[in-house]
Amino acid sequence: ASRLGGGGDFLFGVDIETHHFTKARGGTANRDEFGHYSLCRPVDLEARVVQLGWSFGPAGGAATVRTRIVKPRGFQVSQIATDVHKITHQQAEKEGMDLEMVLKEFTDDLFYHAAGHGARLVSHHLAFDAGILSREMARCHMQETRLRFAAIVKKGLCTMDPHIGRWLRGCWGEDTGTEESMHTMKLQDLVQKLLPEAHDLLDRLHDAGVDALLHRKLGYAIYGLSRAPCRLSC
């Protein structure tokens, strides 16, 4: 509970889908520029955003979910990326919005709720999503926005953090050995364990809005357990 910190009463989930990726991502654990656990290599953070999703709302309340496709400018959506998130280059060209417009809508929501409700940003592998978004803001010359975003990310919650994974495995009576990397739990595993009522959403993974909604729900589930951990350990 101490590691999770405050802000569990209003969570703001975020997720991105990118124009390309390599399956060999990561391999060396590190701490990113925001202080979060990361498996990213520098090249991973140069990926471009094709879809951005975010979800927010108070604990126990209805969630607002927004999903935006980004018009590709200066890059081509690769086939390997399309195979994952089902968005083709042609679809992004036709349905997408300008990157700066999408980022402004996203940060307007984030900044309002962060300032007005003490919202905490949550994502699975937050270092990846936030790192790429920060670089997209730089491309759009949104420096003030980027700095404000960075301050919020530093206080964010990464559901892939191995310390959280190790604690959860302990609650479930599983092996909690000392190797840090073994506790970076997959999003699907967390949903199956913590959100059985949301299992139907697993069929829609890699839609940024759906993933952002799941990140928010997982954040609330983790906070709930930190306040009453014996519900699992007993």
Side-chain angles (χ1 to χ4, degrees):
S2 175
R3 185 170 187 84
L4 291 173
D9 294 325
F10 197 105
L11 296 180
F12 194 110
V14 64
D15 186 75
I16 62 171
E17 301 298 334
T18 59
H19 84 295
H20 188 67
F21 70 94
T22 57
K23 293 184 179 180
R25 179 183 300 143
T28 302
N30 60 86
R31 289 284 162 181
D32 76 338
E33 60 197 287
F34 309 107
H36 293 289
Y37 178 84
S38 174
L39 290 175
C40 293
R41 302 167 302 174
V43 67
D44 297 322
L45 299 180
E46 295 305 315
R48 303 299 305 275
V49 175
V50 171
Q51 188 184 47
L52 174 59
W54 62 99
S55 173
F56 55 90
T64 297
V65 181
R66 306 197 203 283
T67 309
R68 302 290 182 264
I69 294 176
V70 174
K71 193 178 294 291
R73 291 290 180 261
F75 66 88
Q76 183 81 20
V77 180
S78 70
Q79 184 59 50
I80 191 172
T82 296
D83 291 343
V84 173
H85 54 57
K86 312 306 179 188
I87 301 170
T88 66
H89 185 85
Q90 292 73 21
Q91 180 185 358
E93 283 278 11
K94 182 179 180 180
E95 301 177 14
M97 299 169 56
D98 289 338
L99 174 62
E100 186 172 0
M101 185 180 301
V102 173
L103 291 174
K104 185 177 186 309
E105 185 180 8
F106 163 66
T107 53
D108 280 352
D109 276 342
L110 176 61
F111 294 164
Y112 172 78
H113 291 291
H117 303 282
R120 191 173 187 187
L121 195 64
V122 57
S123 186
H124 194 70
H125 205 180
L126 182 57
F128 179 74
D129 295 68
I132 291 174
L133 285 171
S134 178
R135 285 154 181 77
E136 292 285 44
M137 291 173 191
R139 292 186 183 96
C140 293
H141 307 289
M142 302 169 67
Q143 187 59 21
E144 184 176 342
T145 297
R146 189 186 187 200
L147 292 174
R148 193 173 177 185
F149 175 67
I152 294 172
V153 173
K154 288 178 181 179
K155 298 178 181 179
L157 173 67
C158 176
T159 59
M160 201 185 79
D161 189 301
H163 295 90
I164 293 175
R166 187 172 189 269
W167 169 68
L168 288 172
R169 290 188 190 282
C171 289
W172 297 323
E174 298 178 1
D175 180 22
T176 57
T178 58
E179 186 180 352
E180 186 178 57
S181 62
M182 71 175 288
H183 300 301
T184 54
M185 297 185 67
K186 293 181 179 180
L187 178 61
Q188 296 95 317
D189 293 339
L190 287 171
V191 172
Q192 289 171 349
K193 291 272 195 177
L194 293 172
L195 302 173
E197 74 282 2
H199 72 276
D200 57 311
L201 293 178
L202 290 176
D203 294 334
R204 297 166 57 194
L205 286 182
H206 300 297
D207 173 276
V210 171
D211 287 1
L213 177 62
L214 287 173
H215 297 163
R216 172 183 170 273
K217 285 178 174 289
L218 285 172
Y220 282 128
I222 290 170
Y223 272 112
L225 289 172
S226 75
R227 292 166 178 167
C230 67
R231 287 192 300 171
L232 279 185
S233 58
C234 295

